[in-house]
Amino acid sequence: MTKTLILVDVQNDFSPSGALPVPQGDQIVPIINKLLPHFDHVIATQDWHPQGHASFASVHNKTPGELIELDGGPQVMWPDHCVQGTYGAEFIAELNTHAIDHVVQKGTNLNIDSYSGFFDNQRLQATGLADYLLEKGLTDVYIVGLATDYCVKFTALDAAELGFNTWVIQDACRGVNMSEGDVDNAFEQMQQAGCILIQSESLVVN
Ligand code: VGL
Ligand code: ZN
């Protein structure tokens, strides 16, 4: 069975020393590198914002972590992060990028955030990820990356809703956990939506 690994936002700004630090975010990289040879296809998403993106607290004179209304929907305010072409937007250096055969960039619309690798948060535009998978006949996707409670969660929920057989490799994900329990709740939601939660050791023979 053809297996596709989707790497969600394994980027410098989400590493512990980055602009939007995800605790232990760098610890998933060696786990992902070990997983790579076990997959037929590897797709990576990149959070790829223009300068002055609407999700940036600095644009609204807000403090990161605050919640605002943006176009009638809730929007968490983030530090400036993953600006197109900057170091922070690059893949974490230790990631074995040779294995990546397709990159999907998201969050490129100045006014709309995009947590999911499939659609922006308002579902106005698709990123092309679903079409890519469908064109290649890839039905089975395994999701890893950053951050569990944002981009991993929404990518996994959309994958399941779109009808892909969806696994989430828990130890190859880390979350922001802005409120205690966010990561646990995110995994719970993914499971409720039909995603299968597994550990990397079930795929990698040590
Ligand atoms: C993400 C917050 C803002 C993520 C991206 O990759 O989970 N989180 N932008
Ligand atoms: Zn972002």
Side-chain angles (χ1 to χ4, degrees):
M1 182 58 80
T2 301
K3 303 210 301 286
T4 301
L5 186 64
I6 300 180
L7 314 180
V8 176
D9 300 0
V10 185
Q11 293 167 272
N12 289 320
D13 272 342
F14 301 121
S15 75
S17 56
L20 201 170
V22 177
Q24 307 179 349
D26 54 339
Q27 292 184 10
I28 66 171
V29 174
I31 300 171
I32 293 171
N33 286 340
K34 270 204 245 176
L35 284 166
L36 291 171
H38 299 271
F39 286 85
D40 308 287
H41 291 270
V42 180
I43 300 171
T45 69
Q46 265 182 323
D47 211 30
W48 197 249
H49 299 309
Q51 271 183 36
H53 189 255
S55 72
F56 295 172
S58 60
V59 170
H60 310 272
N61 288 308
K62 299 286 180 190
T63 305
E66 278 188 75
L67 204 63
I68 68 160
E69 283 276 313
L70 191 66
D71 288 321
Q75 171 69 52
V76 179
M77 294 284 85
W78 299 110
D80 290 23
H81 66 280
C82 295
V83 172
Q84 298 172 5
T86 64
Y87 172 78
E90 289 174 17
F91 294 119
I92 296 176
E94 290 75 19
L95 180 67
N96 177 10
T97 54
H98 298 294
I100 298 171
D101 34 48
H102 186 63
V103 176
V104 172
Q105 295 174 331
K106 63 182 181 62
T108 56
N109 183 319
L110 185 65
N111 303 304
I112 310 179
D113 209 359
S114 187
Y115 292 149
S116 164
F118 290 95
F119 305 103
D120 63 66
N121 291 1
Q122 294 184 28
R123 291 215 163 192
L124 295 176
Q125 265 189 329
T127 60
L129 176 55
D131 287 343
Y132 181 88
L133 293 168
L134 291 170
E135 248 165 52
K136 293 217 160 0
L138 306 176
T139 54
D140 293 6
V141 300
Y142 291 71
I143 298 176
V144 301
L146 308 169
T148 310
D149 34 0
Y150 293 94
C151 293
V152 169
K153 178 177 95 171
F154 287 102
T155 300
L157 293 179
D158 281 345
E161 190 185 324
L162 289 166
F164 297 102
N165 301 317
T166 307
W167 286 260
V168 179
I169 308 173
Q170 291 185 282
D171 56 317
C173 300
R174 291 293 186 280
V176 178
N177 238 3
M178 198 139 55
S179 303
E180 205 185 302
D182 282 356
V183 166
D184 290 342
N185 291 333
F187 282 131
E188 177 68 26
Q189 271 187 62
M190 293 184 248
Q191 188 168 42
Q192 291 291 326
C195 303
I196 301 164
L197 307 182
I198 59 170
Q199 307 300 320
S200 63
E201 63 184 15
S202 67
L203 294 161
V204 178
V205 183
N206 286 296

